[in-house]
Amino acid sequence: TCARSGQDLAGALSSAIQSGDANQIAGVYDWSGMSSSNAYRLMERLDLIARRPLVDVQPMYAGGTNEYGDGVVEFDEQTGEVIARPQRKPRLIGLRVEQTLANGTTPSRTVFGLRRNLGCWWVRL
């Protein structure tokens, strides 16, 4: 089965990374249009990601939202009243993977873009 929502994709990517198996990460990757040589290079990169301890997978949104997809609201500093509210629904644009290097303390971040194809969500680098 494939990820039918961004939330499903984030969960699948998180599980794949926690497995430590680059092939599982490859299972949620959008390979369309990729040459063989690029695919080999990408698998090497996915293998490095699979070897690092996972801290968190966070969705990334566009359009005036915070990292949780909540609209940013502006307030008048003197009156405390709301000045502006976001008008658009936040749009999921990527997944941010927070990890540590092998030493367990040095942070490492990978940002995956997203692609929807045939009703399924996939990650891209």
Side-chain angles (χ1 to χ4, degrees):
T1 64
C2 67
R4 298 286 183 182
S5 70
Q7 184 176 9
D8 289 345
L9 181 59
L13 180 60
S14 179
S15 294
I17 294 170
Q18 287 176 334
S19 77
D21 182 3
N23 290 310
Q24 287 192 32
I25 302 171
V28 297
Y29 197 87
D30 178 23
W31 294 93
S32 59
M34 187 173 296
S35 70
S36 295
S37 59
N38 285 340
Y40 282 112
R41 282 192 290 276
L42 177 62
M43 279 304 294
E44 290 174 2
R45 189 167 178 196
L46 295 181
D47 188 51
L48 290 174
I49 292 169
R51 292 179 191 204
R52 290 183 230 147
L54 179 66
V55 175
D56 200 10
V57 175
Q58 288 291 320
M60 297 171 49
Y61 294 92
T65 61
N66 64 19
E67 63 268 20
Y68 304 105
D70 298 324
V72 177
V73 178
E74 294 180 37
F75 294 93
D76 182 301
E77 291 180 15
Q78 293 178 351
T79 66
E81 294 192 24
V82 174
I83 297 173
R85 288 194 171 115
Q87 299 298 316
R88 297 185 300 180
K89 182 178 177 185
R91 185 171 57 93
L92 182 64
I93 59 168
L95 296 174
R96 185 179 65 231
V97 176
E98 302 288 348
Q99 296 177 283
T100 60
L101 297 182
N103 65 13
T105 57
T106 305
S108 174
R109 176 180 288 169
T110 305
V111 175
F112 287 94
L114 302 179
R115 179 165 187 243
R116 189 159 188 188
N117 188 19
L118 300 173
C120 299
W121 285 93
W122 307 94
V123 295
R124 299 214 30 129
L125 285 173

